[in-house]
Amino acid sequence: MFKDRLEDIKNTIEETKSRKGCTQDVTVMAVSKRFPLSDITNAYETSGHTVFGENRIQEALEKAEKLKNLPIELHFIGHLQKNKVKYLKDNFTMIHSLDSLKLANLMQGHFERENRIQDVLVQVNIASDENKSGVGEEETFLMCDYVMQSENLNLRGLMMMPPLVDDAEENRPHFARMKKLFDKCNDIKRYNIDVLSMGMSDDHLIAVEEGSTMVRIGTALFGQRQY
Ligand SMILES: *Cc1c(COP(=O)(O)O)cnc(C)c1O
């Protein structure tokens, strides 16, 4: 049952935080990609959970449309192709995957015409993994400065996807580097950001220990994806 799994995950997160002396609030996002809409509505009805994430734009837009009368926050966490920017309305609470200046520029123009402000996270490819999108660590401030100057984009924080590894502990240094970068964003650059989106089913406790404020959990909540 979703409700029991969610409760277990939240409890272990709280235990981990108190054991390690972590003080940040951690939001659990339920990643519902490739699961039917009914899994989201069931999850909401049985547990009251309201924070969900999707990574494919077509599927995400369709689900957003069908969920718009429920108090559900849908986050977009996948790579956003530039030719899909035009479909963005008020579908997503937050877009976690701002991964290039060009995309930021297109999104700013789009949301200016839409006359609304979109919350975004800058995706950082902290491990310089050629299989992952995101700006390099050294480009992060340039990118964030650009977003800060974009009146219709509201910079809320940073997001990262670690490399695929056998043992999640291997990625601990990447999570720690992200937290350092996140702190610099506030201490040196004064962006005043509050979201550090990192950690998935297999590594979320390590991410929390290293300072994550939002974990994105798919399989551990919904079960194995079919494709
Ligand atoms: C699928 C996905 C997740 C969740 O992964 P699980 O291993 O199923 O928990 C998290 N973040 C992103 C960006 C994803 O695409």
Side-chain angles (χ1 to χ4, degrees), residues 41-190:
T41 50
N42 281 336
Y44 167 68
E45 279 158 18
T46 55
S47 71
H49 190 68
T50 56
V51 185
F52 294 86
E54 289 286 333
N55 79 330
R56 293 201 289 203
I57 192 65
Q58 193 56 39
E59 178 182 350
L61 290 169
E62 284 167 20
K63 284 174 171 168
E65 177 64 24
K66 290 175 181 148
L67 292 168
K68 69 179 177 204
N69 294 321
L70 292 175
I72 281 178
E73 286 187 21
L74 200 60
H75 293 245
F76 188 70
I77 60 177
H79 175 66
L80 184 64
Q81 300 97 308
K82 296 178 186 74
N83 63 350
K84 299 289 163 45
V85 168
K86 58 179 181 283
Y87 300 118
L88 300 173
K89 305 261 180 229
D90 57 350
N91 337 69
F92 304 122
T93 304
M94 210 181 280
I95 293 176
H96 289 228
S97 43
L98 201 50
D99 57 11
S100 72
L101 280 173
K102 182 82 190 135
L103 180 62
N105 176 264
L106 281 171
M107 279 178 46
Q108 165 55 29
H110 173 75
F111 285 112
E112 193 178 340
R113 289 186 293 277
E114 288 282 316
N115 194 25
R116 53 178 300 267
I117 294 173
Q118 175 67 56
D119 278 3
V120 296
L121 305 181
V122 166
Q123 181 172 355
V124 182
N125 187 356
I126 196 84
S128 308
D129 179 349
E130 59 186 36
N131 300 310
K132 296 274 166 359
S133 44
V135 299
E137 183 176 9
E138 59 295 333
E139 296 154 1
T140 305
F141 294 154
L142 185 73
M143 179 73 173
C144 290
D145 284 343
Y146 188 83
V147 178
M148 292 294 288
Q149 290 159 15
S150 302
E151 284 188 1
N152 297 75
L153 301 178
N154 182 32
L155 183 66
R156 290 289 305 277
L158 305 179
M159 179 273 216
M160 79 92 119
M161 284 274 280
L164 267 180
V165 288
D166 291 328
D167 176 3
E169 276 296 335
E170 287 176 48
N171 281 327
R172 185 184 291 276
H174 298 313
F175 293 125
R177 284 253 295 284
M178 280 299 295
K179 168 66 165 138
K180 272 204 184 131
L181 191 58
F182 176 79
D183 286 344
K184 279 189 199 161
C185 283
N186 286 326
D187 299 342
I188 299 172
K189 300 293 290 183
R190 307 273 171 208

Side-chain angles (χ1 to χ4, degrees), residues 12-70:
T12 46
I13 288 175
E14 286 313 311
E15 282 161 25
T16 302
K17 279 170 54 184
S18 37
R19 188 159 29 82
K20 294 285 174 174
C22 304
T23 54
Q24 80 275 23
D25 287 332
V26 178
T27 302
V28 175
M29 175 205 300
V31 178
S32 44
K33 66 187 188 197
R34 297 183 246 161
F35 284 97
L37 187 82
S38 56
D39 283 20
I40 302 179
T41 50
N42 281 336
Y44 167 68
E45 279 158 18
T46 55
S47 71
H49 190 68
T50 56
V51 185
F52 294 86
E54 289 286 333
N55 79 330
R56 293 201 289 203
I57 192 65
Q58 193 56 39
E59 178 182 350
L61 290 169
E62 284 167 20
K63 284 174 171 168
E65 177 64 24
K66 290 175 181 148
L67 292 168
K68 69 179 177 204
N69 294 321
L70 292 175

